[in-house]
Amino acid sequence: MKRIAIAAVLLVTLVGPARAGFDEGAAAYGLGDYAMAIKEFRPLAEQGHAEAQFNLGLMYEIGVGVPQDFAEAAKWYRKAAEQGVAVAQSILGVIYHSGDGVPQDYAEALKWHRMAAEQGYVRAQLETGLMYRHGLGASPDFIQAHMWFDIAAEQGNTLGRKYRDIAAKEMTSADISKAQAMAREWLEKHGQ
């Protein structure tokens, strides 16, 4: 449910190339005219408009304007994710983690979360860290987990600090130093 709430806020705030119909679809969604929103978004999504694809994924996931259909939601999120929409990548990671509309696949979940994390999407950085910490989709790796938590923490995320500190209790000083160096390198490379 958290991903739905987060995504709903993003639905009308995503910006991208202006194309006829997108603004109308967003306005219709905001007014609760979901049938009109679908009518505006679907042709754009079919033509490859990433934000329209994301919005269709969201609408199928929560079942507004269309019957709820997790497989269809995953299809549209994947299309947006493949075009680099970080929030779609992260939601696709959550979908593969939970198995909603797709077979549960932790490796695939980690792949999508990590793609979004690499773009600086803090929520995905937390999810990536958690997956490494718990060995979901890869062998447990406290250094990677600490690094991603530290990156999120450096961007002001309180959960990142909390998870980093928890992970550190199970690590050696050398491993913590290595994770911190990796985080600093990532932050410098990404201008953070």
Side-chain angles (χ1 to χ4, degrees), residues 10 25 33 39 49 69 82 92 102-103 105 113 138 147 162-163 173-174 181 189:
L10 294 171
D33 187 351
K39 181 181 173 190
H49 190 282
D69 184 335
E82 288 172 346
L92 199 54
V102 298
D105 185 335
H113 279 308
M147 179 194 86
K162 177 182 174 184
Y163 294 156
S173 328
K189 178 180 175 186

Side-chain angles (χ1 to χ4, degrees), residues 2-13 29 54 58 62:
K2 283 184 181 178
R3 73 174 183 243
I4 293 171
I6 292 167
V9 170
L10 294 171
L11 178 73
V12 294
T13 61
Y29 185 93
F54 173 83
L58 175 63
I62 60 178

Side-chain angles (χ1 to χ4, degrees), residues 28-181:
Y29 185 93
L31 294 171
D33 187 351
Y34 304 124
M36 180 57 74
I38 290 287
K39 181 181 173 190
E40 296 293 342
F41 289 145
R42 186 175 305 281
L44 293 172
E46 289 170 350
Q47 294 168 18
H49 190 282
E51 288 82 10
Q53 292 167 341
F54 173 83
N55 290 348
L56 276 183
L58 175 63
M59 293 178 81
Y60 275 105
E61 181 179 8
I62 60 178
V64 294
V66 292
Q68 187 175 43
D69 184 335
F70 294 116
E72 192 69 10
K75 176 184 107 174
W76 289 110
Y77 282 139
R78 176 178 286 278
K79 289 177 181 291
E82 288 172 346
Q83 293 192 66
V85 177
V87 66
Q89 291 168 339
S90 187
I91 290 173
L92 199 54
V94 171
I95 288 170
Y96 275 104
H97 188 154
S98 65
D100 290 334
V102 298
Q104 186 177 46
D105 185 335
Y106 293 135
E108 193 72 5
L110 178 58
K111 174 185 109 173
W112 288 108
H113 279 308
R114 182 142 185 172
M115 289 173 75
E118 289 287 354
Q119 291 192 65
Y121 190 60
V122 174
R123 181 68 191 175
Q125 292 167 346
L126 294 173
E127 294 293 339
T128 300
L130 287 168
M131 293 194 77
Y132 278 119
R133 184 177 189 282
H134 296 290
L136 299 174
S139 297
D141 187 333
F142 281 84
I143 294 171
Q144 283 286 322
H146 190 288
M147 179 194 86
W148 286 110
F149 296 149
D150 199 21
I151 291 167
E154 287 299 316
Q155 295 177 78
N157 187 278
T158 56
L159 280 177
R161 279 192 291 278
K162 177 182 174 184
Y163 294 156
R164 177 194 61 203
D165 295 346
I166 291 169
K169 291 177 183 177
E170 301 179 49
M171 298 170 68
T172 66
S173 328
D175 286 346
I176 293 169
S177 293
K178 183 176 180 179
Q180 289 171 334

